[in-house]
Amino acid sequence: LNFNHKGSGLKAKDRYGYLKAFAIAGADKKFYWAKAEIKANFVIVYSEMVAKPIAVRYAWADNPADANLYNMEGLPASPFRTDSW
């Protein structure tokens, strides 16, 4: 994933240092929790359950307590989805 408004960079804001609250789906439209990491200002999202991802959701819940993607200036990423199903 690439973001238009990432400030001077991206970071995981918590004591563990990894991203949470990402889910991905393939052509079957079934979402699975995914691993996500920051590499060169991109967020790479993947799961062993989805061989060919076509959609990503971040913090897609009523109360996304585990959302921890921020920019270096301290602003959080808003919940989003790439699908329109």
Side-chain angles (χ1 to χ4, degrees):
L1 300 170
N2 186 20
F3 296 88
N4 291 331
H5 305 288
K6 59 184 163 253
S8 60
L10 300 171
K11 66 179 178 178
K13 186 176 179 182
D14 70 3
R15 62 183 174 175
Y16 302 110
Y18 58 86
L19 295 173
K20 302 177 195 172
F22 280 91
I24 60 174
D28 63 357
K29 300 181 181 179
K30 186 172 181 182
F31 280 87
Y32 295 92
W33 290 116
K35 297 178 181 177
E37 56 190 62
I38 299 166
K39 288 193 176 185
N41 280 323
F42 291 89
V43 175
I44 309 300
V45 184
Y46 56 95
S47 170
E48 295 174 0
M49 302 298 292
V50 182
K52 294 181 181 179
I54 62 169
V56 176
R57 290 180 180 176
Y58 170 69
W60 202 249
D62 289 337
N63 188 14
D66 54 350
N68 68 338
L69 176 60
Y70 285 72
N71 68 12
M72 292 298 195
E73 288 73 29
L75 298 173
S78 299
F80 66 85
R81 63 191 280 181
T82 63
D83 62 284
S84 60
W85 306 323

